């Protein structure tokens, strides 16, 4: 129901982490490749997921079919060279590390925005807490309940923060703000039943009853001006730009030994893993995909190293999302 817009360079394979198949069996089992020793170091798992089609299919949107989250008025204005601004919200959710692209009349544009001002606004903030006492009545905040749609969304988002408060786990950044939900849209404030005088003190959501707290708080919000730069006149040029932007290592099967190619086949759509020290073939492949730091068994002590790393690579002319995950201790 609620969708974030994480950086595609870091999280291009968001579904990969949750949808990877079981580890390859038989000769592709953990640590069984070639002359690998029975290691007792961290386990390194490699997964590859083939990307169908071109990068243009994934990243370049047709002017008549923009993503749902884009501000279409901003898109119309910037392509027409007209003045337009948005407040708090980037018009295309784009940044230098995570650009957006659109195709109009045969020309590809890179979209973005720049900050041109700052304003101070006061918005109501909804937070949910455990009730102080027994609750005699509460308003149903589910989709089948009595609250307007804007309030349902507000409660659903504030619920994430209430659920995480005092417990392990987190909540979706970008949706939850200041520990609750911020009513920014004028229409949501006008139609709200929770913001009215004599508003309900308690709501029920997902079989849990919460105490409602509303505070009106000040926010400093950036003002954005959308930008569009023409960058390509042909599909081939656009594909080259996207490769340069998103693709890391480029290798072919001819670059690899037979054992390293076998690891690639085992990791394609599934998983391959070994424990440190790794086999010669695994080390060869890690070097080929520019994952040299992972050859070191003490990589978790190095700076700027994540337990899971994802990157797009090109192998034999096709695009793949590759994921490297380090496991140790009980996870190993």
């Amino acid at each position: 129901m609620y969708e974030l817009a994480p950086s595609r360079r870091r999280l291009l394979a968001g579904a990969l982490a949750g949808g990877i198949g079981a580890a390859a069996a038989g000769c592709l089992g953990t640590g069984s490749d070639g002359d690998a020793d029975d290691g007792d170091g961290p386990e390194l798992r490699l997964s590859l997921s083939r990307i169908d089609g071109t990068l243009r299919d994934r990243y370049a949107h047709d002017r008549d079919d923009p993503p749902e989250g884009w501000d279409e008025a901003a898109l119309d204005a910037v392509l027409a060279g007209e003045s337009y601004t948005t407040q708090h919200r980037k018009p295309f959710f784009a940044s230098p590390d995570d650009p957006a692209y659109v195709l109009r009349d045969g020309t590809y544009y890179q979209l973005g925005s720049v900050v041109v001002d700052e304003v101070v606004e006061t918005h109501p903030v909804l937070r949910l807490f455990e009730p102080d006492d027994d609750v005699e009545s509460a308003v149903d905040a589910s989709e089948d309940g009595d609250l307007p749609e804007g309030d349902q969304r507000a409660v659903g988002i504030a619920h994430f923060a209430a659920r995480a408060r005092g417990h392990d786990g987190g909540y979706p950044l970008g949706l939850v703000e200041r520990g609750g939900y911020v009513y920014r849209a004028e229409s949501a404030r006008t139609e709200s039943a929770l913001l009215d005088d004599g508003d309900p003190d308690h709501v029920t959501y997902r079989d849990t009853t919460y105490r409602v707290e509303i505070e009106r708080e000040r926010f400093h919000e950036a003002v954005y001006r959308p930008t569009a730069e023409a960058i390509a006149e042909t599909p081939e040029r656009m594909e080259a730009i996207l490769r340069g932007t998103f693709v890391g290592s480029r290798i072919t099967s001819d670059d690899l030994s037979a054992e390293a190619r076998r690891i690639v086949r085992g990791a394609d759509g599934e998983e391959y893993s070994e424990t440190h020290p790794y086999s010669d073939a695994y080390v060869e492949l890690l070097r080929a995909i520019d994952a040299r730091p992972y050859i070191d068994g003490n990589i978790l002590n190095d700076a700027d190293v994540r337990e899971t790393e994802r990157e797009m690579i090109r192998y034999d002319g096709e695009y793949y999302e590759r994921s490297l995950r380090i496991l140790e201790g009980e996870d190993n």
Side-chain angles (χ1 to χ4, degrees), residues 21-314:
C27 64
L28 288 176
T30 299
S32 61
D33 180 62
D35 54 359
D37 296 327
D38 292 332
D40 56 2
E43 178 182 341
L44 181 62
R45 292 183 180 177
L46 168 67
S47 301
L48 296 173
S49 179
R50 194 188 309 257
I51 298 172
D52 295 328
T54 66
L55 298 183
R56 300 188 309 277
D57 296 335
R58 173 175 282 215
Y59 297 115
H61 302 277
D62 190 270
R63 168 61 194 90
D64 296 327
D65 187 26
E68 183 177 349
W70 282 11
D71 186 327
E72 289 202 55
L75 183 59
D76 287 336
V78 73
L79 292 178
E82 299 172 352
S83 177
Y84 189 90
T85 59
T86 62
Q87 185 173 314
H88 172 68
R89 177 180 180 272
K90 292 182 179 181
F92 313 117
F93 299 109
S95 67
D97 290 334
D98 189 20
Y101 305 95
V102 70
L103 170 64
R104 187 193 68 166
D105 298 334
T107 298
Y108 292 90
Y109 296 85
Q110 179 172 319
L111 304 175
S113 61
V114 294
V115 177
V116 295
D117 202 354
E118 180 190 67
V119 296
V120 179
E121 299 280 4
T122 299
H123 300 303
V125 181
L126 167 69
R127 299 183 182 92
L128 301 177
F129 298 92
E130 293 183 4
D132 296 326
D133 302 302
D134 293 338
V135 178
E136 295 183 1
S137 64
V139 175
D140 183 2
S142 67
E143 292 184 5
D144 298 327
D146 301 324
L147 291 179
E149 184 176 344
D151 285 338
Q152 293 175 14
R153 172 179 170 81
V155 171
I157 291 176
H159 155 77
F160 290 135
R163 183 182 60 184
R165 195 175 295 122
H167 298 84
D168 291 337
Y171 51 74
L173 298 175
L175 292 177
V176 173
E177 294 183 74
R178 298 193 183 182
Y181 176 81
V182 180
Y183 281 87
R184 282 194 168 84
E186 180 66 30
S187 59
R189 293 196 297 266
T190 301
E191 299 171 2
S192 173
L194 295 178
L195 302 179
D196 289 342
D197 292 337
D199 50 12
D201 294 327
H202 297 85
V203 296
T204 299
Y205 184 77
R206 294 188 178 178
D207 299 323
T208 302
T209 298
Y210 294 104
R211 174 172 56 86
V212 173
E213 181 180 288
I214 303 289
E215 297 286 345
R216 283 163 174 79
E217 301 181 2
R218 286 163 54 89
F219 291 81
H220 294 80
E221 299 179 347
V223 177
Y224 298 94
R225 174 169 56 82
T227 61
E229 180 181 358
I231 57 173
E233 299 290 341
T234 65
E236 294 76 16
R237 176 69 179 276
M238 188 64 208
E239 192 72 14
I241 290 172
L242 293 171
R243 283 198 302 271
T245 302
F246 293 110
V247 180
S249 304
R250 329 291 173 89
I251 57 176
T252 69
S253 54
D254 292 338
D255 298 327
L256 302 175
S257 66
E259 289 299 301
R261 291 196 298 269
R262 184 171 63 82
I263 294 176
V264 171
R265 291 194 297 271
D268 188 356
E270 297 192 11
E271 287 183 344
Y272 176 86
S273 63
E274 291 186 16
T275 53
H276 194 272
Y278 308 125
S279 68
D280 291 344
Y282 205 18
V283 169
E284 175 192 353
L285 180 57
L286 293 174
R287 288 196 177 109
I289 61 176
D290 199 23
R292 293 170 182 263
Y294 289 81
I295 297 172
D296 180 2
N298 294 319
I299 185 172
L300 288 178
N301 295 326
D302 297 338
D304 195 30
V305 170
R306 299 177 299 279
E307 289 190 10
T308 300
E309 183 198 57
R310 300 183 181 93
E311 184 184 57
M312 187 185 299
I313 66 172
R314 203 172 192 199

